[in-house]
Amino acid sequence: MTAEHRNEKSLVNSQIEALAAKRIRHTRVNEVMTELDTLIYEGSQDSILLVCGPSGAGKTTLAKYIVNNALKQAQGQLETNRGIIPAIFTEAPSSGENDFSWRLLYQRILSQLDDDAESPKLACGVDPETGRMSRPRAANRATTLAALRTAVERGLRARQVRFLVIDEAAHIIRQTRGRNRLEIQLDTLKSLANLCGTQMVLIGSYDLHHLVSLSGQLARRTHVVHFERYRQDRPEDVQAFERCVSGFEKTLPELWGGKLTKYSKALHENTLGCIGTLSGVLVRAARLATITNAWTTASLERALLSQAQHNRILEEILDGESGIGPNLIAA
Ligand SMILES: Nc1ncnc2c1ncn2[C@@H]1O[C@H](COP(=O)(O)OP(=O)(O)OP(=O)(O)O)[C@@H](O)[C@H]1O
Ligand SMILES: [Mg+2]
């Protein structure tokens, strides 16, 4: 390989990285963000907000974005009060244990709260005997579940956390056997929200929606936000999806050569109108194109979801949409 070829290849690779890192602020993201903005406020009765949507819709990306956004918006406040953390992002653990591990979740929240901020920093080092890295544990670190819970409550209040995002929240359901136990799990979150004035924003796929049917009290305190796919039977959705394809095309104009948008319809069908899935397909197609030094319809085809993947995701979407659909019928 000549030096010129190597340079070309690294240029292409950095362009593909740019495509993978590209975040499009699309219509659905704006809609969900606006809805969440109206639902997250001090004194809200909605202690728990569920953001449900299909796999690959871009839920995690959106969740991280709203947390970063909250931090940016609070910048002025943070300069005068450095202890404030307006929003926190964490992921519900999937520990492999039979029951959901509150311990792990609390530990994750505490690490975001920087619980040990006031304790003296202990140096890390290498153990001379084992040669392993040692990270000394802070002396005051909570060990029992009750102590962890108290530390989380204290931290959320002290840091004035307005909302706590828990991604992959369906792990709580999947790792809980029995309706009663699940109700207890949700009560745990609700009481945390009420005690600390922190709204819980749970992010996940459609199975998360089952949580609202657990009890009347929980249903009243929980609001569902639907992060919907772009539907092929709605003209405004078709146009919005096309704008996303065009947005991705503009990230790598030399590669796509203005010819990507003509495949919008086929991409919409294959990715089921989910922007995260579309991003995955296009990054794969761009990488495949580096083999032949140019993209072709065949390399785009190879990057698509297989029929079996497509069918499975569609099944979940149709199931989820029928459960979540609003029932507001005028008399
Ligand atoms: N707005 C966006 N613009 C560009 N790329 C995006 C956007 N949203 C998501 N992606 C990309 O799509 C991929 C999947 O997105 P994300 O993980 O947010 O989806 P998800 O709905 O959380 O999926 P899952 O159901 O698997 O949790 C990510 O790698 C991300 O880079
Ligand atoms: Mg996700």
Side-chain angles (χ1 to χ4, degrees):
M1 191 190 283
T2 64
E4 202 180 326
H5 265 121
R6 261 198 303 276
N7 285 343
E8 239 173 57
K9 230 176 168 86
S10 76
L11 184 66
V12 170
N13 281 339
S14 68
Q15 285 173 338
I16 293 174
E17 273 169 30
L19 176 69
K22 167 93 175 170
R23 294 289 171 269
I24 294 180
R25 182 81 186 266
H26 54 97
T27 309
R28 198 65 83 232
V29 166
N30 287 338
E31 286 168 356
V32 175
M33 279 187 56
T34 309
E35 196 171 344
L36 284 173
D37 250 3
T38 63
L39 295 167
I40 299 176
Y41 59 95
E42 218 179 311
S44 163
Q45 290 200 8
D46 299 315
S47 334
I48 301 178
L49 298 171
L50 302 184
V51 180
C52 303
S55 168
K59 303 178 298 293
T60 302
T61 306
L62 170 94
K64 288 183 177 163
Y65 186 81
I66 57 169
V67 169
N68 280 337
N69 215 27
L71 299 185
K72 266 193 219 149
Q73 278 178 4
Q75 201 63 46
Q77 214 185 349
L78 295 182
E79 271 157 28
T80 49
N81 187 347
R82 285 170 182 274
I84 290 180
I85 304 179
I88 282 181
F89 175 91
T90 188
E91 195 178 291
S94 172
S95 63
E97 291 166 20
N98 281 338
D99 211 354
F100 180 72
S101 174
W102 286 97
R103 177 182 294 278
L104 277 178
L105 179 64
Y106 289 153
Q107 281 166 345
R108 284 185 185 181
I109 298 172
L110 283 176
S111 71
Q112 298 282 320
L113 287 167
D114 195 14
D115 186 50
D116 293 326
E118 270 135 55
S119 62
K121 293 270 176 272
L122 302 169
C124 293
V126 177
D127 186 316
E129 276 177 28
T130 61
R132 287 213 193 116
M133 185 79 176
S134 67
R135 187 189 273 268
R137 307 185 102 220
N140 66 347
R141 201 174 276 276
T143 47
T144 66
L145 189 60
L148 280 169
R149 161 83 187 204
T150 310
V152 168
E153 279 173 20
R154 197 184 50 219
L156 289 176
R157 265 199 239 114
R159 300 293 199 177
Q160 298 173 38
V161 181
R162 280 174 47 223
F163 65 96
L164 165 65
V165 175
I166 306 180
D167 195 17
E168 299 292 354
H171 288 165
I172 303 177
I173 305 182
R174 290 190 203 126
Q175 290 171 83
T176 306
R177 292 209 191 105
R179 196 187 161 99
N180 285 348
R181 296 239 358 111
L182 197 50
E183 206 173 328
I184 294 169
Q185 310 282 40
L186 258 283
D187 267 336
T188 309
L189 276 181
K190 196 187 77 180
S191 80
L192 196 61
N194 294 346
L195 281 169
C196 308
T198 303
Q199 281 174 278
M200 303 289 150
V201 183
L202 307 191
I203 313 276
S205 44
Y206 284 117
D207 41 359
L208 198 58
H209 184 247
H210 298 309
L211 290 182
V212 283
S213 50
L214 284 176
S215 81
Q217 202 204 16
L218 272 175
R220 193 182 70 75
R221 287 277 189 165
T222 308
H223 186 77
V224 181
V225 176
H226 191 185
F227 189 144
E228 226 183 333
R229 63 181 164 137
Y230 288 109
R231 295 181 61 123
Q232 285 168 283
D233 55 357
R234 277 193 214 131
E236 66 274 23
D237 277 17
V238 172
Q239 280 172 11
F241 185 85
E242 226 176 273
R243 283 197 296 275
C244 292
V245 176
S246 162
F248 281 115
E249 186 174 54
K250 284 184 191 131
T251 321
L252 272 184
E254 303 88 53
L255 177 75
W256 305 116
K259 293 195 181 115
L260 188 63
T261 35
K262 73 174 184 190
Y263 292 99
S264 265
K265 224 168 149 204
L267 287 166
H268 197 160
E269 164 67 23
N270 182 258
T271 62
L272 299 139
C274 297
I275 296 310
T277 309
L278 172 68
S279 153
V281 166
L282 295 181
V283 170
R284 263 196 308 277
R287 295 189 70 86
L288 286 167
T290 59
I291 303 172
T292 47
N293 278 332
W295 78 282
T296 57
T297 311
S299 62
L300 186 57
E301 262 171 6
R302 279 175 61 198
L304 295 175
L305 295 185
S306 71
Q307 199 57 44
Q309 287 172 303
H310 173 276
N311 292 350
R312 182 74 196 103
I313 300 171
L314 179 62
E315 217 175 281
E316 271 178 26
I317 290 178
L318 295 178
D319 232 33
E321 285 177 347
S322 65
I324 214 171
N327 295 314
L328 195 61
I329 299 163

